């Protein structure tokens, strides 16, 4: 009985999404995207797409999403949105971060990316345009990946803060007390592997097309670079997502080295009370702001 009700709910939800989708105007970018996708399939092998294509997507998007935060340091108007105003970015720190990022990307992450092709072959993950999932299905699966990754990240990240192992692995990521966007993947190689596992669990469980790999990479990079940006920008569309942690939430973690262990959402920190100091800090800041008004 319960199973039938669940199926009925999902069917109704699917029909509702399809109805909303039918009301939306035709995407003018769909045809060019289709042509580009088919051109890629006709001119490159699956191995090249899964390996070098994934690497290019990751590198281009990573540094592209880091660019706004990098430029903010040169714009006086944006300084009022910086969370830790007393700790500006320095060229020395950014150059050091850049070199470590390149090492992690090409010496740690690239070997993992090379396994993408064999993963898609083993599980018969399609590449063709005809079987590409619709945007709504893709969005739901990416959300599922985010929930899985956030859960993994919370518990493993909290474990990495244990006093017996913190100085050996996670301390590297906390080298910069005031984070900046490019620092999102600045970490010890072991941490890259440990926390990065959470990224792949959702892919293994939910991937039904190679496009999900790139869509999930895109969403994950947007999120992690945003929370490490060091800036609390008004009208940030990501803050409209229910339970989204945001930059101020994670900035507090870097500032105090404790609490706020989740990567994307706030529910695990609320459930286990690891956001209590952050909550007290926010209330204190609100009182100060009221007095200065």
């Amino acid at each position: 009985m319960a199973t039938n009700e669940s199926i009925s709910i999902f069917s109704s939800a699917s029909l509702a999404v399809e109805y909303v989708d039918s009301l939306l105007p035709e995407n003018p970018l769909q045809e060019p995207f289709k042509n580009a996708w088919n051109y890629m399939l006709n001119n490159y092998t699956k191995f090249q797409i899964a390996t070098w294509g994934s690497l290019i997507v990751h590198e281009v998007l990573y540094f592209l999403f880091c660019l706004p935060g990098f430029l903010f340091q040169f714009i006086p108007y944006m300084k009022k949105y910086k969370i830790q105003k007393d700790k500006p970015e320095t060229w020395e720190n950014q150059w050091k971060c850049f070199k470590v990022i390149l090492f992690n990307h090409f010496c740690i992450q690239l070997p993992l990316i090379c396994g993408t092709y064999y993963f898609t072959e083993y599980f018969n993950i399609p590449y063709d345009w005809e079987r590409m999932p619709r945007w709504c299905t893709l969005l739901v699966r990416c959300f599922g990946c985010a929930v899985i990754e956030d859960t993994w990240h919370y518990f493993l990240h909290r474990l990495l803060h244990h006093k017996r192992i913190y100085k050996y692995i996670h301390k590297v990521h906390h080298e910069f007390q005031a984070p900046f966007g490019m620092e999102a993947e600045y970490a010890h190689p072991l941490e890259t592997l440990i926390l990065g596992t959470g990224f792949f669990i959702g892919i293994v469980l939910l991937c039904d097309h190679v496009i999900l790999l790139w869509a999930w990479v895109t969403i994950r990079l947007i999120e992690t670079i945003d929370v490490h940006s060091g800036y609390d920008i008004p009208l940030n569309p990501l803050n409209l997502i229910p339970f989204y942690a945001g930059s101020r939430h994670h900035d507090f973690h870097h500032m105090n080295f404790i609490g706020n262990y989740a990567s994307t959402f706030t529910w695990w920190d609320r459930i286990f009370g690891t956001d209590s100091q952050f909550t007290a800090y926010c209330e204190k800041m609100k009182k100060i702001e009221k007095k200065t008004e």
Side-chain angles (χ1 to χ4, degrees), residues 17-286:
V17 171
E18 288 181 7
Y19 175 70
V20 172
D21 190 28
S22 67
L23 297 177
L24 296 174
E26 186 176 349
N27 184 356
L29 298 177
Q30 181 168 338
E31 195 62 29
F33 179 61
K34 177 181 179 181
N35 294 336
W37 189 268
N38 286 328
Y39 176 84
M40 178 183 71
L41 293 178
N42 294 330
N43 290 275
Y44 299 96
T45 65
K46 286 185 177 181
F47 178 82
Q48 290 172 325
I49 294 170
T51 304
W52 305 118
S54 297
L55 177 66
I56 291 170
V57 167
H58 182 272
E59 294 306 301
V60 170
L61 292 181
Y62 188 83
F63 291 106
L64 181 64
F65 295 152
C66 287
L67 184 59
F70 176 77
L71 296 176
F72 287 165
Q73 64 185 309
F74 306 112
I75 304 173
Y77 177 78
M78 298 304 296
K79 290 182 179 178
K80 66 180 180 179
Y81 299 123
K82 185 168 175 59
I83 299 170
Q84 297 187 56
K85 295 179 176 61
D86 60 330
K87 297 182 178 69
E89 299 91 338
T90 66
W91 285 107
E92 181 183 359
N93 285 346
Q94 290 175 100
W95 176 241
K96 181 179 182 180
C97 179
F98 179 71
K99 290 186 290 184
V100 173
I101 289 295
L102 289 183
F103 173 82
N104 282 347
H105 283 186
F106 289 96
C107 297
I108 307 299
Q109 295 182 14
L110 179 56
L112 297 177
I113 291 174
C114 287
T116 302
Y117 166 74
Y118 301 100
F119 164 76
T120 59
E121 286 294 295
Y122 183 81
F123 289 101
N124 294 317
I125 305 298
Y127 288 65
D128 57 288
W129 174 266
E130 288 71 25
R131 284 183 285 178
M132 185 179 294
R134 296 173 59 193
W135 66 270
C136 48
T137 303
L138 200 60
L139 197 61
V140 169
R141 288 180 181 271
C142 283
F143 176 74
C145 288
V147 172
I148 293 169
E149 190 282 331
D150 183 71
T151 302
W152 177 272
H153 191 102
Y154 175 84
F155 292 103
L156 272 295
H157 182 196
R158 189 172 177 180
L159 177 63
L160 289 176
H161 271 270
H162 192 281
K163 61 183 180 181
R164 290 188 178 180
I165 59 175
Y166 172 78
K167 64 180 179 180
Y168 299 110
I169 302 175
H170 193 53
K171 187 178 180 180
V172 174
H173 184 67
H174 278 279
E175 184 175 337
F176 307 117
Q177 193 172 359
F180 47 91
M182 189 168 56
E183 193 230 354
E185 293 186 349
Y186 180 89
H188 189 285
L190 278 177
E191 178 174 342
T192 300
L193 295 173
I194 293 169
L195 296 185
T197 300
F199 173 89
F200 292 103
I201 294 175
I203 291 296
V204 171
L205 297 176
L206 301 174
C207 189
D208 61 347
H209 194 280
V210 73
I211 191 65
L212 179 66
L213 291 166
W214 294 355
W216 171 221
V217 164
T218 303
I219 290 175
R220 178 66 180 125
L221 288 181
I222 290 174
E223 179 277 324
T224 190
I225 292 170
D226 175 60
V227 301
H228 284 92
S229 68
Y231 289 84
D232 187 15
I233 308 297
L235 304 178
N236 183 342
L238 293 176
N239 291 331
L240 298 175
I241 301 172
F243 301 104
Y244 180 66
S247 57
R248 193 169 289 277
H249 184 272
H250 194 69
D251 204 279
F252 180 86
H253 174 78
H254 274 263
M255 186 168 36
N256 296 277
F257 308 105
I258 191 170
N260 293 7
Y261 298 111
S263 61
T264 307
F265 304 107
T266 57
W267 49 59
W268 287 117
D269 281 298
R270 291 184 182 181
I271 290 171
F272 291 100
T274 46
D275 66 343
S276 57
Q277 291 188 28
F278 174 66
T279 302
Y281 170 78
C282 290
E283 292 176 354
K284 179 182 176 181
M285 294 305 295
K286 286 179 181 178

